[in-house]
Amino acid sequence: IRSSAELWQEAPHALGGESANDIISEAERIEQWIRELLTYSQLPDYRKEAIDARPLIAQCVAGLERESKRRHVGIALALPAELPPIQANAALLTQVLNNVLCNALEAMPAEGGDIAIRAHSTPGSRQVDIDISDTGAGIAPGDIAKICQPFFTTKAKGLGVGLTLVRRIVKRFGGQVRIASTEGQGTVVTLVFPAAPR
């Protein structure tokens, strides 16, 4: 379905380009739901390795470039060269980043907004923090405590397992997820990972 819509979208003078965009967007959403359900119902591979988070973050952002442009959302990166590698798994870290970034995109108002991704490590702390902040709708105070519970969602089209998976994966690698939000102003999701042994 998505391939046909992309061909339709790229055809010269094609009618219904907006419909093609909608088809692609919905196909991607269904694909994400299936991936989340499969991961949620299976025991993922939690083998740990030393991961340089910077290229993975850049890859995730590049994968969302078309969607972010469509939504008029700018994404800024602050990834210091001296960032230590983290103890994680590349495939699962990619899934975590994609889930959080997709949530940030979906939280944006119609006129767009901004997402900032900042990675940092305090000397001597042996941990790496990845902050993903957005200028979206924010989360109601009463929903903050429930936002990572399975099948709880504030989205009309949400499934409610994305942040549950994020927290499960990060915790299995010895990290934690912190969420701070102001309704109407935006949200900051901080992913805390242990630094890889030297």
Side-chain angles (χ1 to χ4, degrees), residues 26-42 95 159 161 165:
E26 290 300 297
E28 288 174 347
R29 184 169 61 86
I30 292 168
E31 182 182 12
Q32 177 70 15
W33 276 13
I34 293 169
R35 190 182 304 115
E36 288 179 357
L37 278 173
L38 287 172
T39 307
Y40 187 76
S41 62
Q42 296 172 356
Q95 182 169 0
L159 189 60
V161 298
L165 279 174

Side-chain angles (χ1 to χ4, degrees), residues 59-130:
Q59 180 182 347
C60 291
V61 170
L64 293 169
E65 183 178 5
R66 183 177 64 190
E67 183 66 10
S68 61
K69 285 183 178 177
R70 188 178 76 82
R71 292 176 178 267
H72 310 290
V73 174
I75 303 180
L77 300 179
L79 309 174
E82 66 276 10
L83 191 72
I86 63 177
Q87 186 83 340
N89 171 290
L92 291 176
L93 177 57
T94 299
Q95 182 169 0
V96 164
L97 293 168
N98 279 330
N99 279 352
V100 177
L101 286 169
C102 285
N103 281 348
L105 278 174
E106 291 170 3
M108 293 297 176
E111 64 271 18
D114 295 292
I115 295 173
I117 306 172
R118 175 176 174 259
H120 54 99
S121 178
T122 305
S125 68
R126 300 301 304 147
Q127 73 181 39
V128 175
D129 294 2
I130 301 172

Side-chain angles (χ1 to χ4, degrees), residues 126-189:
R126 300 301 304 147
Q127 73 181 39
V128 175
D129 294 2
I130 301 172
D131 301 323
I132 301 173
S133 61
D134 66 64
T135 58
I139 303 167
D143 290 338
I144 286 284
K146 299 180 284 186
I147 204 70
C148 288
Q149 292 177 3
F151 304 108
F152 174 83
T153 182
T154 58
K155 304 175 192 172
K157 298 181 178 181
L159 189 60
V161 298
L163 282 176
T164 305
L165 279 174
V166 166
R167 186 175 65 175
R168 176 191 289 183
I169 291 169
V170 174
K171 285 181 72 175
R172 286 295 293 266
F173 290 128
Q176 58 179 301
V177 178
R178 297 195 294 259
I179 301 174
S181 187
T182 302
E183 199 170 10
Q185 295 184 26
T187 301
V188 180
V189 176

